[in-house]
Amino acid sequence: MMATNSEKESAVCSSAEIFNDTVVASAIAAAFDLGLFDEIRMHGDVAVQELCESNDLHYDSIRAIFIAMQTKKIVKFDPVQDQVSADDLFQQVYRDKGYFAWLLGGYGAMLQNLSEMARNKNRKQDSPNRCGQRIASAGRDYGAQFVDRYF
């Protein structure tokens, strides 16, 4: 999933871009967990307020997820009409959403505490702090797309 040096050798970005990309990655993982990608894929234009009410979701949080993803052209969010729909990168991110959930949902606690985990005195267990349930859920998603069809 990570770009290799040859793919990105001429790319230069700022620390602000790296920061914003981290927010977008978190928004993608959350959108996967909440079923937001499936809603857009099934219905096209989705009314955000209605989506929140029918799924007991916090409206401002869902809008923030869509606004973050809009910055990378994953979705189009119209704040006046309060609607969201797929944008240029939607299909690609929909395909890869399980990887974001795997990394951020499954290993998020480990990544959040990476500096502490790197200290030998804090390494009391053989495996890192991870969420097996979220890893399995993400694995089902990308396994169905990239592995299962071959068997």
Side-chain angles (χ1 to χ4, degrees):
M1 190 68 194
M2 290 183 64
T4 64
N5 285 341
S6 62
E7 293 174 40
K8 296 272 238 182
E9 61 185 82
S10 65
V12 177
C13 66
S14 68
S15 60
E17 288 173 299
I18 296 168
F19 180 89
N20 291 337
D21 289 347
T22 304
V23 173
V24 175
S26 295
I28 292 168
F32 171 68
D33 286 345
L34 295 167
L36 303 180
F37 286 116
D38 290 332
E39 287 288 329
I40 294 168
R41 193 165 196 223
M42 288 188 303
H43 303 291
D45 290 334
V46 174
V48 178
Q49 184 70 42
E50 185 179 308
L51 171 73
C52 292
E53 289 172 1
S54 63
N55 293 284
D56 193 28
L57 300 172
H58 183 254
Y59 178 74
D60 291 334
S61 297
I62 299 304
R63 280 179 53 106
I65 289 169
F66 289 141
I67 289 168
M69 291 195 303
Q70 179 176 258
T71 66
K72 294 296 181 181
K73 295 189 175 237
I74 300 164
V75 298
K76 295 175 191 172
F77 175 63
D78 180 344
V80 175
Q81 297 294 319
D82 199 35
Q83 289 196 332
V84 66
S85 60
D87 204 348
D88 296 341
L89 286 179
F90 182 85
Q91 290 302 332
Q92 181 180 349
V93 173
Y94 183 87
R95 180 194 68 209
D96 296 337
K97 66 192 179 306
Y99 291 110
F100 291 91
W102 170 81
L103 181 63
L104 296 169
Y107 292 92
M110 180 193 75
L111 294 171
Q112 183 179 2
N113 297 299
L114 192 54
S115 63
E116 289 303 309
M117 202 177 119
R119 299 177 199 284
N120 283 326
K121 70 178 184 174
N122 295 331
R123 298 190 63 84
K124 295 181 173 88
Q125 56 190 17
D126 292 336
S127 62
N129 185 8
R130 60 181 174 239
C131 178
Q133 182 179 4
R134 307 257 325 259
I135 292 168
S137 174
R140 275 191 302 277
D141 181 74
Y142 58 75
Q145 295 181 70
F146 301 112
V147 178
D148 296 353
R149 65 180 171 208
Y150 296 107
F151 298 100

